[in-house]
Amino acid sequence: MADGDISDNEPTTRTLLRRVLDTEAPRTPRRRQSTRAGVQRTPLGTPFSMRLRSQTKTTAGRQPHRARSIGRLAHIQTRGQLKEQTPRTLLENILLTAPESSMVMPESAVKPVPAPQVVQVVQFSRRESSPGSLELQLPELNAPTTLAPGRLTSGRRKKRLRLSEFQQGMDQELPLSQGPVTEPPGNTGASSLSSSLNLTFATPLLPQSVQRPGLARRPPTRRAVDVGIFLQDLQDTSVATAFPDTVLEDTQPFSQPLIGRSPSVHHSLPYPSLSAERTVSRRTRSSGPGLQNNSPGKPAQLLAGKAEEVDALAMRFPNTSSGTSGVDGLEPLLGGVGEEVEERMEESMSLSEVKEATGAQASARAEEPEAHTEVAEAEGSWGAIEEKELEGSSGDKDTEGRTARPELASSTPEFPRARQLEFLEPAPPTSTAVGLFRQQVIPAPSLSSEPLEPLSARLPTRLQTAGPRLRQDPYKMGLSHYAKLFSFYAKMPMEKKALEMVEKCLDKYFQRLCDDLDVFAAHAGRKTVRLEDLELLMRRQGLVTDRVSLHVLVEQHLPLEYRQLLIPCAFSGNTVFPAQ
Amino acid sequence: MENDGKRSCLQPPHEVFWFLLQRLKAAVHYTVGCLCEEVASDKEVQLSRQTIAAISEVTFRQCESFAKDLEMFARHAKRSTINTEDVKLLARRSNSLLKYITEKSEEFNVERKTKKKKKLEDENKDSLEPAEAGGVGSEN
C-alpha cells in the first residue's frame, strides 16, 4: 500500500522510515534507535529533550530524529490503538501538539515542488494505513494546523494534489476544516518533516539563526543559547583571567557533586573548552595534523594532558570523598555543555577517580581556562561520538555535541578507556574541527599519542596566530585554578610561593602522567593511547588493584550516563552497548 | 589473613610458602649485608645492623613491586615472557639506570649475535652445503 505510493516519488527519508515502520514490528525504543542509523542511543526517556535538541540542531541533524518520530507516529497510527504511556507515545503526542514550527517556516510554503509530492505520499500512506486511528488524532490536530493548514486540507480532499492547488492552499493558508484529521497530525509532522527535509537539502548550511517563527513558541533551548553566546564571547573577548576569580567568588567552588558538573560550570568561556580540550588533548595528544588551528588548541592539549594528571592528582588529594562538594555553583552556564565535556573528561579513568575524590577537581577542570578548547573539545568529543554530519551541519556544533553527548551513547567500548582525545578546535567549530573529530576515534579510544614536548614546542607558534594573549594562558590558568583549589582545601591561608610550588608540582605531575601514557602505548607497539594504557597507569598508581578493577571504579564514581558508555551492558533485543 | 595462616599452624601449602619466603628474605638480607659491608669499607663509614636490615627489607619489597610491574608490562604488550623492553620500561625513571641497562642489553645482544654466528659457522663446517645455505639464510 504505502509502497505503491511511495514508489511514485523518489523515496525520501521520511517515506522510507514510514515504510520500515509499517513493516517492522514495534520494538523497544533502544532497538528502534539502533536501527535508525544509530544516530542516537539515548533512552527514549528523554525524547522531548532530544527533540528539542534536535530541533536546535541543523536540519540535517534533525531530520533523522524527526523522521523517526514521525515514523513512530505513523506506526502507532497503523496500529490503530493508543498504547499506554510509552516514550514513543509521549513523543508522538509532543510532536502532535507542538507545532513543527521550526520545520515549517513561512518560506517553506514557498517551496512547493518537493514538499507537495512528499506530502502527497505521506498523506496517502497515512490515510490508508490508519483509517481507524483518525479519531485519535483529531483532538491534537488543532494546535499545529496554523502553520500548514493548506497542506492539511488539500491532502485529504484529493488523491492527487495538484501543485498549483497546493501552492494556492499554502499561500492562502485557508483554515480548512479538520476533515483530513487523520492526515494532519501525521502529515503535519510529515509534511513539516518533508519540508524540513527538503529545506535541509536545499540549504544544508542554513544557520539556525534563520527566522523561525515556530521557534518563538518553543522555550528556547538553554543549551543552544548558551553555546551561541558562549562562542560569541569566546571570539570577541579574550580569555579573561578574571573569569576564574569571578567564578570562584560567585559560587562555592567545591560544592560540585560531580566532576561532570564542573566542566559545564564554565561560566568562564575558556574553561569549558579547556577542560574538554584537556581530556581531548590528553587522549589524542596527537599533534593532530591540523588539529590545532587555533592557538587555544595547543594549550588545551597541554591542559588536557594535565587534566588526567589533575584527575590523578585529585585522587591523591583529600580523598575524602567529600569531593562532592565540588563546584556546584560553577555550572550554570553550560549545563549541557558541561555535561558533555564532563562526560568526555569522565572518560578518562582518572576522571572517575577525581569525581569521587574531589569535586574540586571538577571545578578545577571547569575552571580550566580556554573556553575554546573546551568548546572545541566538547565538540570534538561529541562529534566523534555523534554522527559526523551532525557536527558539520552548523555552527551549533557545540550545542549538538554537548547536547547529543549525553544522549548519544557513543560506541566507545568503555567510558574510561575512551580517552578520546579528540583534538578539538577550540572556539569556532570549524570544519577542520569537524574533520578532526571524524578522524578521531569514536568507538575505541585510540588517540594519537605524542610526547608533550613537541606539542608544547609547537604551541608557541600556533598561539601566535591567535594572539600572544592566549599564549600560555590556558595552561597557566589551569594550573592556577588547581592551585586555588588546593588552597581552598588546605583551609588555611597559603603563601603565594607555596601556590607556585603547587603549580609546579602539578605541572610536572601531569607531564609525567602523560609521558607514562605515551610510553605505555609505545610499549605495546601502538601509536595511540588506549584504555589499556590508562588502566595500566592506574594500576601503577594503585587505584586499580587485584581487588578493585576498573569497572568497579567506574561504577563507584561515575554517573550512570558515563558508566553506560564505558561498561558494556546488554539491552533488549540482544544488543550490547557499547559494542565491543 | 595469609600472614596469620603462615604464622599459625595452617595447611601445609601456606606454611611451606612462608618458609620459602623466609629463606628468600634471609638470602636477600645476606647479600645486602655483603654489599653494605663493601660500601662501608669503601666510604669508610659504619652501617648499623638495623640499617642493613631496613635496607634488605626495602629491597625485598621493591623486588616484589618490580616483579608485579614487569608482569603487568609484559602482559600489556601481550607477551607471556618478561623482556628486556619491560625492564627498560621499569627503569625509565632514573636516567642513569636506564642508560646503564640499555648499554648492557646492547652488549648482551652483540654477544649473543657473535655466539650465534660462531655456532652457525661450526654447523656449516659440519653439515652439508644446502643445510648451510639454509642456516645462513635464516640467520641473515
Side-chain angles (χ1 to χ4, degrees):
Chain A
M1 53 158 193
D3 295 336
D5 297 327
I6 292 170
S7 62
D8 293 348
N9 312 313
E10 48 186 44
T12 62
T13 309
R14 211 178 87 277
T15 55
L16 287 173
L17 277 172
R18 259 192 11 6
R19 194 189 306 172
V20 172
L21 279 172
D22 291 340
T23 54
E24 262 187 346
R27 293 184 188 150
T28 61
R30 288 233 170 83
R31 180 58 180 261
R32 176 160 303 285
Q33 285 173 1
S34 66
T35 59
R36 291 285 166 263
V39 171
Q40 292 174 356
R41 280 211 179 243
T42 53
L44 278 187
T46 62
F48 185 72
S49 58
M50 269 166 40
R51 182 169 142 275
L52 283 183
R53 288 193 208 114
S54 61
Q55 283 175 352
T56 57
K57 292 177 188 175
T58 60
T59 51
R62 237 175 294 152
Q63 294 322 312
H65 181 72
R66 275 302 182 101
R68 198 185 331 156
S69 315
I70 299 301
R72 289 205 200 98
L73 191 64
H75 187 73
I76 288 183
Q77 287 177 5
T78 52
R79 295 292 160 176
Q81 60 180 347
L82 192 58
K83 296 180 183 174
E84 61 268 8
Q85 282 291 319
T86 65
R88 183 189 287 187
T89 57
L90 284 173
L91 186 60
E92 288 166 10
N93 291 341
I94 289 166
L95 286 173
L96 289 177
T97 53
E100 351 28 359
S101 46
S102 61
M103 301 288 217
V104 179
M105 304 193 304
E107 297 85 26
S108 67
V110 185
K111 260 193 172 196
V113 180
Q117 293 172 4
V118 177
V119 172
Q120 285 179 35
V121 176
V122 174
Q123 293 170 353
F124 287 154
S125 45
R126 291 214 175 239
R127 221 175 319 141
E128 294 168 5
S129 61
S130 61
S133 62
L134 296 185
E135 290 68 27
L136 292 176
Q137 309 296 337
L138 258 175
E140 298 148 81
L141 249 197
N142 296 330
T145 51
T146 53
L147 283 177
R151 280 195 212 158
L152 297 177
T153 55
S154 53
R156 163 77 167 198
R157 298 264 173 89
K158 305 162 191 175
K159 289 281 181 177
R160 297 287 170 188
L161 189 63
R162 293 212 176 255
L163 183 59
S164 56
E165 289 174 355
F166 181 82
Q167 282 177 343
Q168 287 173 8
M170 294 287 292
D171 295 340
Q172 297 164 10
E173 292 198 2
L174 302 172
L176 297 176
S177 64
Q178 300 303 327
V181 174
T182 60
E183 259 77 88
N187 284 337
T188 311
S191 54
S192 62
L193 192 67
S194 59
S195 64
S196 62
L197 280 170
N198 297 326
L199 280 173
T200 309
F201 300 152
T203 60
L205 299 178
L206 199 62
Q208 300 229 350
S209 56
V210 171
Q211 282 186 351
R212 297 191 175 203
L215 282 176
R217 298 188 215 159
R218 283 184 300 133
T221 309
R222 187 169 71 104
R223 288 175 197 182
V225 173
D226 288 345
V227 172
I229 294 176
F230 178 48
L231 288 174
Q232 263 307 301
D233 291 341
L234 278 177
Q235 293 176 1
D236 296 343
T237 67
S238 64
V239 174
T241 48
F243 273 97
D245 295 338
T246 53
V247 172
L248 282 175
E249 289 161 7
D250 291 344
T251 63
Q252 300 171 1
F254 307 105
S255 56
Q256 202 57 355
L258 284 180
I259 300 178
R261 279 296 134 210
S262 54
S264 51
V265 171
H266 319 291
H267 15 240
S268 54
L269 303 174
Y271 293 170
S273 59
L274 182 59
S275 47
E277 186 81 16
R278 239 186 315 152
T279 51
V280 163
S281 60
R282 177 151 166 245
R283 311 249 177 91
T284 48
R285 196 147 17 151
S286 55
S287 41
L291 272 182
Q292 290 117 17
N293 296 339
N294 312 328
S295 51
K298 283 292 180 157
Q301 291 173 16
L302 289 179
L303 284 172
K306 278 185 26 175
E308 284 208 9
E309 292 170 349
V310 171
D311 295 339
L313 184 64
M315 294 191 306
R316 306 318 187 172
F317 270 89
N319 260 334
T320 59
S321 43
S322 62
T324 51
S325 56
V327 189
D328 286 326
L330 294 179
E331 297 316 315
L333 267 198
L334 304 168
V337 175
E339 270 181 41
E340 311 264 355
V341 175
E342 192 57 28
E343 291 178 356
R344 278 269 155 206
M345 293 175 37
E346 297 306 277
E347 293 182 351
S348 62
M349 282 301 297
S350 49
L351 283 177
S352 56
E353 261 99 9
V354 177
K355 256 194 171 180
E356 156 232 10
T358 47
Q361 283 303 331
S363 55
R365 251 174 283 167
E367 296 285 347
E368 289 287 328
E370 286 296 270
H372 331 318
T373 54
E374 175 111 11
V375 171
E377 169 89 13
E379 292 178 352
S381 57
W382 187 221
I385 295 183
E386 242 189 344
E387 302 291 356
K388 312 279 173 70
E389 303 87 17
L390 289 178
E391 271 197 42
S393 45
S394 73
D396 277 355
K397 223 188 312 186
D398 294 340
T399 318
E400 294 175 5
R402 307 253 170 80
T403 56
R405 188 76 176 71
E407 306 168 319
L408 191 62
S410 65
S411 50
T412 56
E414 291 203 340
F415 201 63
R417 299 170 186 192
R419 341 163 169 202
Q420 311 171 11
L421 285 188
E422 266 90 20
F423 249 91
L424 349 177
E425 297 302 313
T430 61
S431 57
T432 47
V434 176
L436 282 179
F437 301 149
R438 295 186 190 190
Q439 293 169 14
Q440 298 307 332
V441 147
I442 308 304
S446 45
L447 306 169
S448 54
S449 59
E450 279 190 10
L452 272 179
E453 292 75 12
L455 284 180
S456 50
R458 246 176 304 165
L459 185 57
T461 52
R462 278 199 180 249
L463 285 173
Q464 277 160 12
T465 57
R469 170 183 64 206
L470 292 173
R471 178 203 203 112
Q472 293 294 323
D473 269 1
Y475 188 60
K476 284 207 178 138
M477 280 172 76
L479 283 176
S480 67
H481 181 77
Y482 284 120
K484 283 185 188 144
L485 283 171
F486 184 88
S487 74
F488 174 84
Y489 277 126
K491 289 181 183 129
M492 52 175 28
M494 279 182 70
E495 282 183 349
K496 291 219 168 161
K497 280 204 166 183
L499 284 175
E500 283 173 24
M501 254 314 128
V502 166
E503 283 185 23
K504 262 197 202 172
C505 294
L506 280 173
D507 183 14
K508 297 211 170 173
Y509 179 76
F510 288 147
Q511 290 207 355
R512 170 154 293 188
L513 222 64
C514 293
D515 285 344
D516 278 358
L517 281 175
D518 187 24
V519 164
F520 290 158
H523 185 247
R526 281 186 269 106
K527 285 192 183 166
T528 56
V529 179
R530 283 184 157 247
L531 197 56
E532 297 89 49
D533 303 324
L534 189 57
E535 186 174 7
L536 187 68
L537 180 73
M538 295 193 80
R539 192 170 266 275
R540 293 214 77 200
Q541 285 179 336
L543 294 165
V544 172
T545 67
D546 295 336
R547 299 177 137 239
V548 178
S549 81
L550 200 63
H551 279 204
V552 168
L553 287 172
V554 167
E555 286 176 14
Q556 276 180 4
H557 306 306
L558 289 184
L560 183 66
E561 283 167 336
Y562 296 119
R563 172 182 160 174
Q564 235 175 355
L565 296 170
L566 287 168
I567 299 181
C569 185
F571 291 102
S572 74
N574 259 354
T575 55
V576 175
F577 182 79
Q580 286 186 328
Chain B
M1 186 175 125
E2 207 176 21
N3 283 337
D4 291 342
K6 286 178 201 158
R7 298 276 163 79
S8 64
C9 228
L10 254 174
Q11 295 133 19
H14 292 280
E15 280 186 15
V16 167
F17 179 72
W18 192 70
F19 276 131
L20 289 176
L21 205 65
Q22 287 297 324
R23 283 178 61 183
L24 194 59
K25 275 193 188 172
V28 167
H29 181 78
Y30 177 72
T31 314
V32 166
C34 291
L35 286 170
C36 285
E37 275 184 23
E38 276 186 38
V39 169
S41 62
D42 268 351
K43 310 283 179 186
E44 297 186 2
V45 288
Q46 296 284 335
L47 287 174
S48 67
R49 286 185 178 235
Q50 289 89 356
T51 315
I52 297 177
I55 294 175
S56 74
E57 180 72 19
V58 166
T59 313
F60 192 77
R61 292 215 186 149
Q62 194 74 334
C63 284
E64 275 190 55
S65 156
F66 283 164
K68 288 195 191 139
D69 284 350
L70 285 171
E71 188 200 342
M72 271 196 321
F73 290 150
R75 190 168 297 160
H76 182 71
K78 300 190 182 76
R79 279 187 269 109
S80 59
T81 321
I82 292 178
N83 214 357
T84 49
E85 301 298 322
D86 301 323
V87 176
K88 283 189 204 161
L89 194 70
L90 189 72
R92 76 189 179 285
R93 294 283 167 192
S94 135
N95 285 343
S96 55
L97 186 61
L98 182 63
K99 242 197 325 181
Y100 184 77
I101 289 180
T102 323
E103 287 171 2
K104 280 285 174 183
S105 74
E106 280 172 16
E107 274 184 38
F108 186 69
N109 280 347
V110 169
E111 237 186 76
R112 210 153 43 114
K113 281 196 179 163
T114 53
K115 254 202 215 173
K116 268 197 180 177
K117 273 194 177 172
K118 276 194 182 173
K119 248 194 188 180
L120 277 171
E121 286 171 9
D122 293 342
E123 283 175 9
N124 290 343
K125 287 176 195 168
D126 299 342
S127 60
L128 303 170
E129 293 292 327
E132 287 174 11
V136 172
S138 66
E139 174 66 8
N140 295 339

